[in-house]
Amino acid sequence: MTFSIPTEVSYVTEQLEKDGFEAFVVGGCVRDLLLNKTPKDWDITTNAKPDEIIALFPKTFYENTFGTVGVVNEETTDPTLTVIEVTPYRIEGEYSDNRHPDTVIFSQKIEDDLKRRDFTMNSLAYSTSKKEIIDLFGGQNDIENKIIRTVGDSVSRFKEDGLRILRAVRFSAELGFEIEANTEKAIFENAELLKNISMERVRDEFTKIIMSDRPMDGLLAIKKLGLLPYIVPELEKTVGVEQNRAHSYHVWEHLLRSLQGAADKKYPLDLRLAALFHDISKPESRRWGKEQDTWTFYGHEVLGARTTKKILTNLKYPTKIIEKVTNMVRWHMFFSDTEQITLSAVRRMIVNVGRENIWDLMNLRICDRIGTGRPKEDPYRLRKYHAMIEEALRDPISVGMLKIDGKKIMEVTEITPGPKIGYILHALLEEVLEDPKKNTAEYLENKAKILVNLPIKELEALGEKGKMSKEEADEEEIKKIRSSHHVK
Ligand code: ATP
Ligand code: MG
C-alpha cells in the first residue's frame, strides 16, 4: 500500500528509524488516507521515549503528561504540518473517573498502542519506509464496509471514556458510516455515561456533528441512541408535535430538515444552530386557534430566543455565538409573515436585528422554508425581498454625503446662520451629483466662497435645483437596485 506522505512527515518517521527506533503514522490520518481525504493533522507513534524524541529534532516542545512531543517545522506554511505530534507507544491504566486514564505507561510494543484506540478504523498504523499498514483489528475491512466498531469490548471501552459515545456518532455523521450493532447497543445501554463528560468536550463533538455534511443523520442517531437528554434535553419536547397546514412535518423533523438545509448550503455554525433551534419553543406556545381552525404558535420566537440562550449557555458556547443565534431565533418570524413586508417594516427589522445580521436572517428564512417541505420559494418574491433589504440599507442621497457641512460653510464664508447655508449646501450637492469628483473639501470650500456672493434669489434657485436633482438621483438609485433584482 503506497500513500503519498508529505516529506515533513516522512522526515520525522525516518529520522527516528535511522536512530534505531520504530515509527509509524497512526490513527485518524491513516483512516483519512484510505478514504482519499486530506488528513487534518498527522500523528506519529514510536517506541522512543519523550527525551529520546526531543534529542533527535532541532525544535520541539513537550508540555503534557501523555508523552506527546510536538516536532516543530518552521519552513512550511501548511498549518497541518507546522507541528507534527510524536507520541510514544502507550498503555493506558484504569479510568476511575470514566474520563482520564489514571496513569499513562510507555510501552515497547505497537500492539499496546493500537489496542487503546477507540475504533477499528482509528487503530491503523502505517510505515512510511516499508509502505505497509499494520491492521490488528480489521480496521481496513471496516473502513471498506463503512462501519464504526470499537476496538475490544464496547461496554468497557465506553466506560473507560464516555466521550467515545459521541465520537462514534460524530464520525458516522462526518463519514456517512454505520455504527456496528454491538457498538450501537452498548451506546444505547450506557448513554448516561455522558453525564461524566465535561460540557466543553460534549460541545466540541456536538459542533462537529452540526458542521458535518449530515447533521440531520447525526441528530437522528443522537435521538435514537437516547443521548439527547445529555446534550440538548429541550429538543426532546419537539418530537411528534404537530403543526398547521403550511407544514408537512412535525416540529422535530422540521428543525432537522432546516438544519440539513443549512448544511447543504454550507452555512456557518451560527446559522446552522439558529436553523436547529428556531422553533424550539413551539411545543410550549402551541394553542388551538378556534377561528383559524388549526394550531397557532404565537410568541414562540420570544420564548424560543430565551430557550436557545439557555441551551447554548449550558453547552458553553462563546458569548458571541450565543448572542448571534439567540438574536436570529428572536426575529426569525419576520420573513415568514409576508404581510409584514413593507419597506418601513424592513427598515424597522434592520434596526431590531442589526445591519450586520439582516442577510443571515434572510438565509435563515431560506432554511426554514426548506424545512417545511414546501415547494421552492417563488423566485420573484425572493428577489423582491433582496431588493427591499438593499434599498433599506442604502444611505439616501443627501447633503450629508458632501465633504463639507454647514459649520464649515459658516467658517469659510463668514456668514451667520440662516437659509443661505441650506441653499449653498444644495447648490453644492447639485454640482457633486453632476460630477462626483468635485466632492473634495478644497473644491467645495472655494465654491462656497463664490456662491455666497450671489444675490439671494439666484442662490435660492440654485438650491431648489439641487433639491430636485437629489430626489431624481435617489429615485434613479432605487430603480437600479430593483432592476438589478429584476423586480418592479
Ligand atoms: P479528526 O482529527 O478527523 O477529528 P481523529 O480520528 O484524527 O479524527 P483525533 O481526536 O485527532 O481524532 O485523535 C487521533 C487518534 O487518537 C484517533 O484516531 C484515535 O486513534 C485516538 N483517539 C482520540 N481520542 C480517543 C479516545 N477518546 N479514545 C481512544 N482513542 C482516541
Ligand atoms: Mg486527528
Side-chain angles (χ1 to χ4, degrees):
M1 182 74 64
T2 311
F3 296 121
S4 84
I5 304 283
T7 50
E8 289 86 347
V9 176
S10 51
Y11 159 77
V12 177
T13 48
E14 277 147 39
Q15 213 48 33
L16 284 156
E17 286 178 335
K18 237 189 245 164
D19 227 51
F21 296 108
E22 296 172 8
F24 299 90
V25 175
V26 72
C29 50
V30 183
R31 176 200 70 222
D32 289 342
L33 287 171
L34 283 164
L35 290 168
N36 276 324
K37 291 183 175 215
T38 315
K40 287 200 281 281
D41 41 44
W42 294 87
D43 296 315
I44 289 170
T45 187
T46 176
N47 63 344
K49 300 279 156 49
D51 48 341
E52 294 169 323
I53 302 167
I54 292 166
L56 277 178
F57 299 97
K59 189 157 185 209
T60 56
F61 58 88
Y62 179 38
E63 295 159 351
N64 56 77
T65 51
F66 309 112
T68 302
V69 176
V71 174
V72 180
N73 188 324
E74 279 166 335
E75 254 116 80
T76 178
T77 51
D78 179 342
T80 66
L81 296 170
T82 46
V83 177
I84 292 167
E85 297 199 331
V86 184
T87 310
Y89 299 158
R90 268 165 38 184
I91 302 172
E92 287 174 6
E94 290 281 297
Y95 283 68
S96 46
D97 63 354
N98 306 131
R99 265 179 295 187
H100 309 104
D102 299 341
T103 51
V104 172
I105 302 162
F106 299 140
S107 159
Q108 283 300 313
K109 288 192 302 204
I110 178 102
E111 297 90 289
D112 289 329
D113 192 80
L114 296 182
K115 76 175 182 220
R116 72 167 175 91
R117 293 177 182 269
D118 48 5
F119 304 111
T120 59
M121 63 178 185
N122 288 344
S123 70
L124 300 167
Y126 177 71
S127 159
T128 60
S129 55
K130 296 203 192 88
K131 313 219 177 295
E132 268 171 21
I133 289 185
I134 301 183
D135 178 3
L136 304 178
F137 306 100
Q140 290 177 96
N141 219 2
D142 283 343
I143 288 174
E144 199 153 308
N145 296 315
K146 301 182 175 242
I147 285 174
I148 298 168
R149 183 197 313 266
T150 52
V151 170
D153 175 60
S154 301
V155 175
S156 32
R157 297 314 309 281
F158 291 135
K159 284 195 171 151
E160 281 171 6
D161 180 6
L163 190 76
R164 290 171 187 156
I165 289 178
L166 267 186
R167 281 175 58 90
V169 175
R170 186 256 287 189
F171 285 122
S172 78
E174 282 182 339
L175 304 172
F177 282 24
E178 296 284 325
I179 302 173
E180 175 272 334
N182 273 314
T183 303
E184 191 175 67
K185 183 162 174 276
I187 293 178
F188 185 71
E189 286 170 4
N190 295 279
E192 82 280 354
L193 288 170
L194 283 185
K195 265 196 231 158
N196 303 325
I197 307 300
S198 78
M199 265 304 166
E200 287 83 353
R201 291 179 85 203
V202 170
R203 175 205 58 212
D204 287 347
E205 291 302 320
F206 181 68
T207 300
K208 286 180 182 170
I209 293 169
I210 299 290
M211 291 310 291
S212 74
D213 288 344
R214 299 170 199 78
M216 178 160 175
D217 290 350
L219 273 138
L220 286 172
I222 285 177
K223 167 78 183 77
K224 176 175 149 205
L225 296 170
L227 310 177
L228 215 40
Y230 309 102
I231 308 171
V232 190
E234 293 82 354
L235 270 173
E236 199 99 49
K237 286 190 217 140
T238 66
V239 178
V241 174
E242 210 184 301
Q243 311 203 55
N244 52 35
R245 278 176 227 103
H247 283 265
S248 321
Y249 306 113
H250 293 184
V251 178
W252 162 249
E253 188 169 354
H254 167 62
L255 292 175
L256 295 195
R257 284 175 181 270
S258 304
L259 166 63
Q260 188 59 49
D264 293 343
K265 292 196 172 287
K266 307 273 175 233
Y267 285 157
L269 179 64
D270 46 20
L271 250 172
R272 294 188 193 205
L273 290 171
L276 175 60
F277 295 130
H278 73 279
D279 283 343
I280 187 84
S281 293
K282 272 194 167 175
E284 294 94 311
S285 324
R286 193 171 77 148
R287 307 273 180 278
W288 184 259
K290 268 200 202 120
E291 266 167 53
Q292 301 89 334
D293 194 32
T294 186
W295 293 110
T296 64
F297 301 93
Y298 294 119
H300 75 274
E301 69 275 29
V302 179
L303 268 184
R306 215 180 300 157
T307 307
T308 301
K309 186 165 198 171
K310 192 173 139 236
I311 294 169
L312 297 177
T313 306
N314 183 42
L315 281 167
K316 304 231 180 321
Y317 276 102
T319 316
K320 220 177 129 202
I321 291 192
I322 299 178
E323 275 169 9
K324 172 87 189 254
V325 178
T326 306
N327 189 27
M328 280 193 275
V329 172
R330 171 65 185 84
W331 300 109
H332 81 270
M333 283 304 286
F334 179 69
F335 288 113
S336 321
D337 201 343
T338 44
E339 277 105 76
Q340 285 189 26
I341 310 292
T342 61
L343 190 59
S344 62
V346 173
R347 285 213 182 91
R348 254 176 285 128
M349 180 49 50
I350 291 173
V351 173
N352 286 334
V353 78
R355 287 176 88 85
E356 68 287 9
N357 297 321
I358 191 75
W359 294 110
D360 283 337
L361 196 66
M362 187 77 204
N363 288 338
L364 175 58
R365 172 177 193 278
I366 291 171
C367 303
D368 187 357
R369 208 175 152 99
I370 294 170
T372 60
R374 265 183 290 174
K376 240 182 134 181
E377 174 93 78
D378 168 34
Y380 183 85
R381 189 177 320 145
L382 195 63
R383 294 202 306 271
K384 178 86 188 159
Y385 290 166
H386 276 262
M388 281 174 122
I389 294 173
E390 272 184 30
E391 197 175 321
L393 284 175
R394 186 185 66 95
D395 289 322
I397 289 181
S398 77
V399 292
M401 292 161 40
L402 296 174
K403 293 275 190 287
I404 196 169
D405 59 11
K407 211 172 133 219
K408 192 79 200 174
I409 289 178
M410 289 196 284
E411 202 182 301
V412 296
T413 60
E414 293 171 351
I415 55 171
T416 47
K420 251 189 170 183
I421 295 161
Y423 301 153
I424 294 175
L425 280 170
H426 278 98
L428 293 175
L429 181 62
E430 164 79 15
E431 285 210 33
V432 168
L433 289 175
E434 276 298 312
D435 180 5
K437 283 201 291 290
K438 288 185 176 163
N439 196 6
T440 66
E442 197 194 347
Y443 178 84
L444 297 176
E445 281 167 28
N446 284 331
K447 188 72 193 193
K449 282 188 216 158
I450 298 167
L451 288 170
V452 76
N453 295 320
L454 291 176
I456 182 91
K457 281 281 162 222
E458 211 171 303
L459 192 55
E460 186 179 357
L462 278 179
E464 283 305 315
K465 196 166 164 233
K467 271 189 205 160
M468 297 268 287
S469 305
K470 175 181 80 171
E471 276 156 28
E472 276 164 24
D474 220 32
E475 267 169 37
E476 196 51 40
E477 273 206 9
I478 291 170
K479 251 194 227 150
K480 263 194 225 147
I481 291 176
R482 292 187 187 163
S483 85
S484 79
H485 291 278
H486 310 288
V487 295
K488 284 206 198 96

